[in-house]
Structure formats: structure tokens, C-alpha cells
């Protein structure tokens, strides 16, 4: 079983909605989150797959559907490790790195949404992910055989939403990591000012 990891622990209330940088209690702090993860899959023609925009869109769309977000919230990077030693001559391993940018909102709600996405990813089996990606590729008219080999647990980065930016750019370009909130909140316990 995969274990989620996050800047804000998924089993605890995130500090994003609890305190500001100075440690003052706040009713609501607008925050964003980016869920990052990766998977590896065997693909019938790895080099062509990596260069095919239909394949990239199909993988992004599959991930969006599996975690329950809009496809424009998912960014995918495909890379090929080269040829496999067995199987079809052009078959190879494709690494998929993804980022899911959550829209800004109340820190507690954003943390809860990120936690739910992480739990969904951790629950995937390679067979389920393979079937979902294959169906999306077929619907896109992209003819590849895929088999997911490994799904790594995602990480979550929570950040305070920057003011004055559009909601899309805030989610994609989150600044002022709230790790500082956590560290400042722990400083008195460890004798740091």
C-alpha cells in the first residue's frame, strides 16, 4: 500500500486555515495546493507516445477523471526511458509526472480536497489505471498499448494564495509556502524564538 506524504500531514488539520505567519488565529486564509505524483508504464511505442499530443491529453484527462478535477487543472510531463529488453521492438517505459493545481479557497477546504485526491491516487491499482488510460487513448484515436507498472504516492504542497492574481495563476504559481507557518508554530516548543 502506498502512503501519502504532504507538506501538511493528510491526517491532521492543515495550518493554512488555523493561523497566519505571525501565529495569529484567523477565520480563513486563502490557500492553494499542488498535488504532485508520478507513474511508470510500459507503452507499445514509447518514443512516439511521448511526442504525441493526443497521448498527453489522454493521460491528463484520465488523471483528472480518476481524481475528480477538471482536466485543465492537470499538467502532465511524459518522458521515455528507452527500449525494453523484451516485448515489441519499440516498446519502452514511459514516466508520467503530473501536477494537479487546486483552485484557491479556504485553507481547510483546500487541504481536505488535496487529502481526498491523495487518497484516490493511493487506492488506484496498476490494472485500473491501465484500463482507464487505454480507454481514454482509444477515445482520442491514439493507438497504443499501455500497462501501468508503478504508481507512486503523491505529495501535496500547500501555499498561501497570493493576492492580486487570478485564481488560475494563483493555483499554478503558489507562493509563500505555509511550511513557515508550521515551523513558526513549532518554534516555541523547541526553544527557538
Amino acid at each position: 500500500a502506498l502512503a501519502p506524504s504532504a507538506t501538511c500531514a493528510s491526517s491532521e488539520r492543515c495550518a493554512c486555515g488555523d493561523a497566519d505567519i505571525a501565529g495569529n488565529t484567523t477565520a480563513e486564509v486563502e490557500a492553494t495546493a499542488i498535488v504532485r505524483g508520478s507513474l511508470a508504464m510500459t507503452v507499445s511505442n514509447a518514443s512516439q507516445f511521448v511526442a504525441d499530443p493526443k497521448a498527453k491529453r489522454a493521460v491528463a484527462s484520465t488523471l483528472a477523471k480518476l481524481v475528480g478535477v477538471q482536466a485543465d487543472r492537470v499538467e502532465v510531463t511524459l518522458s521515455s526511458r528507452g527500449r525494453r529488453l523484451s516485448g515489441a521492438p519499440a516498446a519502452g517505459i514511459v514516466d508520467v509526472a503530473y501536477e494537479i493545481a487546486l483552485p484557491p479557497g479556504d485553507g481547510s477546504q483546500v487541504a481536505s480536497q488535496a487529502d481526498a485526491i491523495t487518497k484516490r491516487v493511493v487506492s488506484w491499482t496498476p490494472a485500473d489505471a491501465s484500463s482507464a488510460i487505454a480507454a481514454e487513448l482509444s477515445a482520442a484515436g491514439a493507438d497504443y498499448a499501455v500497462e501501468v507498472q508503478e504508481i507512486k504516492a503523491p505529495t501535496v504542497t500547500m501555499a498561501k494564495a497570493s493576492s492580486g492574481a487570478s485564481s488560475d495563476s494563483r493555483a499554478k504559481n503558489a507562493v509563500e509556502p505555509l511550511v513557515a507557518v508550521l515551523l513558526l508554530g513549532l518554534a516555541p516548543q523547541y526553544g527557538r524564538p
Side-chain angles (χ1 to χ4, degrees), residues 87-163:
I93 301 292
V94 171
D95 291 312
V96 178
Y98 63 86
E99 289 188 357
I100 301 167
L102 301 181
D106 171 67
S108 299
Q109 292 172 348
V110 171
S112 177
Q113 185 180 9
D115 184 53
I117 288 171
T118 299
K119 287 178 180 174
R120 285 185 199 123
V121 172
V122 170
S123 72
W124 295 346
T125 66
D128 292 339
S130 297
S131 296
I133 292 170
E136 203 67 32
L137 286 166
S138 178
D143 186 28
Y144 300 98
V146 298
E147 183 180 342
V148 174
Q149 301 295 318
E150 177 184 29
I151 303 170
K152 292 187 179 178
T155 60
V156 176
T157 303
M158 294 290 299
K160 187 175 172 182
S162 59
S163 59

Side-chain angles (χ1 to χ4, degrees), residues 41 43 45-52 55 59 78 94 137 144 146:
M41 58 188 180
V43 179
N45 188 337
S47 59
Q48 182 178 337
F49 185 89
V50 168
D52 189 341
V59 171
L78 305 175
V94 171
L137 286 166
Y144 300 98
V146 298

Side-chain angles (χ1 to χ4, degrees), residues 2 10-11 15-16 22 36-38 44 53 55 75 85 110 117-118 147-148:
L2 299 172
S10 62
S11 62
C16 306
R36 290 180 179 91
S38 64
S44 57
E75 187 121 354
L85 297 177
V110 171
I117 288 171
T118 299
E147 183 180 342
V148 174

Side-chain angles (χ1 to χ4, degrees), residues 3-47:
S5 62
T7 302
C8 295
S10 62
S11 62
E12 300 173 9
R13 182 174 162 86
C14 181
C16 306
D18 295 336
D20 63 14
I21 298 293
N24 301 316
T25 303
T26 59
E28 218 177 86
V29 173
E30 192 163 288
T32 63
I34 297 178
V35 179
R36 290 180 179 91
S38 64
L39 55 99
M41 58 188 180
T42 305
V43 179
S44 57
N45 188 337
S47 59

Side-chain angles (χ1 to χ4, degrees), residues 58-71 74 120 124 132 135-136 139:
V59 171
S61 178
T62 301
L63 291 169
K65 287 177 182 177
L66 288 173
V67 300
V69 299
Q70 294 177 344
V74 179
R120 285 185 199 123
W124 295 346
E136 203 67 32

